[in-house]
Amino acid sequence: MTTDQTPRLPSILDNDFYKFTMQHAVVKLFPRTKARYKFINRGKHSYPAGFAEALRKAVDAMADLRLTKEEKDYLAVTCPYLDPTYLDFLQGYCYDPSEVSISQEGDQLHLTIEGYWYRTILWEVPLMALVSELFYPLSKLERADDERVISVGREKIEKYKELGVIIAEFGTRRRHSYQVHELIVQTLKKYGTGSFVGTSNVHLARVYNVKPIGTHAHEWFMFHAARYGFKMANTLGLQHWVQVYRGDLGIALSDTYTTDVFMNQFDKMFSKLFDGVRHDSGDPIEFAQKIISHYERMGIDPRSKTIVFSDALNYNKVARIADFCKGKIGISFGIGTNFTNDVDLTPMNMVIKMTETQPEGLEWMPVVKLSDERGKYTGKEEVIQLAKTILNIE
């Protein structure tokens, strides 16, 4: 924090990798599409007086962020599948704070984003990180000291090493603060050799010389449903991804309209083309069983594929999944809040989700997400019901 208590992001790359990979695809395929996003306070947190003003200052400060030449060179070498034209675009990109509306009624925060999708796609993760970074000091809540943060992180990664599992850090959006996040990545790298493989945060991946990890998020398929219809969302979402990345970034997110619907459309071509799938909702063991059975039906050895588990993971959950999957299918784990916000305070439970999109030449249309967990549905109830009817979801 600076002296005026306004948190400043250290880099334009202080964001999740899948935001940049999706931005690249949007710039290439859907440059005239617009999008709207909305903040959802899942944890019913009460925001202290003056919170909106403090967040506004932090958001306005993001307008000064620019991709440096060193960062551009890093992306060109580390991510050769990103077109040089995109890297030139990113070098010229700057956040436009007017795309973000922030207000407060009593202790409730209201936050929306609107603009061209290729621009607004980068806001979600750093905005949530800033909400969290401001919430604790303005609520006068003190975290554990650095020594304890390091100790807790070390204990966790050493236990995962003993399990023999592959771990990535996915905790940017709900981290306690950038300071804690950096301590955790330092700790995981120092003590996690053989287990810790990288982070979703591109800035920290660059600084600590680990792999940036990620592919795409729910909004990719949510847009495709609005543009092409619910029945075509998964198929065309995957097809467009392959069109851009030609086999790179091959982990597919499966639960935007339930895994059952996805797997019906994940045919032999996609099953062979993609390296695996990501689990983000519902029972992980049931999910693993479905995926293993699917590959076997396709005549594909499940052990040649990978499931990336990323849903609210902790040690016990990881141990249970690893035990079930051992020898059956490749696995890795993306752990977020449990790494970056385990500081003797209650972690924030919040999301920012796309709510509407306006594809080129069309009107604004609402978007929805129907994950494998009813509590994670997002969007208008009538559109959720329409999607369930069209997709024959119980």
Side-chain angles (χ1 to χ4, degrees):
M1 290 233 182
T2 56
T3 51
D4 68 353
Q5 295 298 292
T6 300
R8 313 268 174 172
L9 299 182
S11 163
I12 202 166
L13 296 184
D14 184 15
N15 205 331
D16 278 344
F17 187 46
Y18 69 14
K19 285 294 178 174
F20 298 105
T21 57
M22 287 192 298
Q23 185 185 49
H24 175 221
V26 172
V27 166
K28 205 162 181 165
L29 301 179
F30 309 110
R32 290 182 174 85
T33 290
K34 292 182 178 179
R36 290 175 178 153
Y37 299 80
K38 184 180 179 182
F39 173 79
I40 302 167
N41 182 10
R42 276 187 184 161
K44 312 291 185 208
H45 306 289
S46 296
Y47 292 87
F51 189 90
E53 289 83 353
L55 182 60
R56 179 81 262 169
K57 279 187 184 176
V59 168
D60 288 347
M62 288 174 66
D64 297 331
L65 293 169
R66 295 290 186 281
L67 188 76
T68 67
K69 184 182 183 305
E70 293 74 23
E71 290 170 332
K72 185 182 180 186
D73 291 344
Y74 163 80
L75 291 174
V77 171
T78 310
C79 314
Y81 39 77
L82 297 176
D83 293 341
T85 49
Y86 169 69
L87 298 182
D88 283 348
F89 157 81
L90 192 59
Q91 192 173 29
Y93 176 93
C94 55
Y95 283 104
D96 178 358
S98 72
E99 293 167 347
V100 182
S101 299
I102 304 167
S103 62
Q104 186 170 353
E105 289 177 37
D107 63 358
Q108 290 306 298
L109 178 68
H110 301 284
L111 195 161
T112 58
I113 306 158
E114 180 178 334
Y116 280 108
W117 190 21
Y118 76 84
R119 294 192 47 79
T120 55
I121 200 166
L122 289 193
W123 279 112
E124 174 195 348
V125 174
L127 271 180
M128 288 172 66
L130 287 171
V131 167
S132 197
E133 183 130 7
L134 281 163
F135 179 79
Y136 296 102
L138 292 180
S139 301
K140 298 185 168 47
L141 298 168
E142 285 193 32
R143 68 168 173 89
D145 61 24
D146 289 1
E147 193 177 333
R148 175 155 170 74
V149 169
I150 292 166
S151 170
V152 168
R154 177 180 181 175
E155 185 183 338
K156 286 180 181 179
I157 195 60
E158 286 180 343
K159 284 176 78 176
Y160 288 129
K161 267 176 79 171
E162 285 174 27
L163 266 187
V165 293
I166 299 298
I167 299 290
E169 180 277 305
F170 281 10
T172 304
R173 68 190 56 225
R174 296 184 195 94
R175 68 192 183 195
H176 171 275
S177 56
Y178 175 74
Q179 186 183 7
V180 167
H181 195 177
E182 186 172 31
L183 282 173
I184 286 296
V185 172
Q186 285 173 353
T187 302
L188 297 179
K189 181 169 184 188
K190 184 173 181 181
Y191 299 107
T193 307
S195 181
F196 175 60
V197 290
T199 170
S200 63
N201 187 287
V202 189
H203 168 66
L204 290 170
R206 185 180 85 86
V207 171
Y208 291 98
N209 194 28
V210 295
K211 187 179 180 181
I213 294 176
T215 53
H216 47 240
H218 295 107
E219 67 183 287
W220 182 251
F221 297 97
M222 290 160 75
F223 159 76
H224 279 80
R227 176 64 184 84
Y228 302 105
F230 290 113
K231 283 189 178 294
M232 294 304 294
N234 288 319
T235 301
L236 285 175
L238 293 173
Q239 212 159 293
H240 284 140
W241 197 255
V242 171
Q243 185 181 330
V244 174
Y245 288 109
R246 316 299 297 173
D248 281 313
L249 302 177
I251 297 294
L253 181 59
S254 61
D255 72 334
T256 310
Y257 300 106
T258 76
T259 294
D260 287 341
V261 168
F262 180 89
M263 297 317 288
N264 286 336
Q265 298 165 340
F266 198 56
D267 63 13
K268 193 163 192 171
M269 181 187 77
F270 288 135
S271 296
K272 285 193 164 188
L273 269 176
F274 281 82
D275 302 321
V277 294
R278 178 158 73 91
H279 170 263
D280 198 51
S281 63
D283 184 272
I285 303 301
E286 278 180 32
F287 179 87
Q289 285 173 319
K290 280 180 188 175
I291 302 306
I292 291 165
S293 298
H294 172 82
Y295 283 128
E296 287 172 344
R297 278 195 307 275
M298 294 287 156
I300 297 166
D301 183 352
R303 292 170 300 179
S304 70
K305 299 296 181 178
T306 298
I307 301 175
V308 178
F309 293 91
S310 63
D311 180 31
L313 296 173
N314 56 38
Y315 176 81
N316 291 336
K317 205 168 173 183
V318 168
R320 187 165 67 94
I321 294 166
D323 182 58
F324 175 80
C325 293
K326 191 174 184 181
K328 299 173 187 169
I329 193 165
I331 55 172
S332 67
F333 299 89
I335 300 177
T337 312
N338 190 254
F339 272 145
T340 60
N341 206 341
D342 187 359
V343 294
D344 297 339
L345 295 170
T346 303
M348 302 202 74
N349 186 1
M350 56 178 170
V351 291
I352 291 175
K353 287 292 175 189
M354 182 190 278
T355 55
E356 294 170 90
T357 183
Q358 186 184 36
E360 182 182 357
L362 298 175
E363 70 281 4
W364 282 100
M365 289 180 273
V367 298
V368 295
K369 180 186 79 154
L370 294 116
S371 65
D372 293 328
E373 217 169 293
R374 182 64 184 84
K376 284 189 165 185
Y377 283 13
T378 63
K380 292 180 178 176
E381 191 57 39
E382 62 269 27
V383 186
I384 289 172
Q385 290 307 318
L386 176 65
K388 289 174 77 171
T389 301
I390 291 170
L391 296 170
N392 295 315
I393 296 169
E394 292 295 321

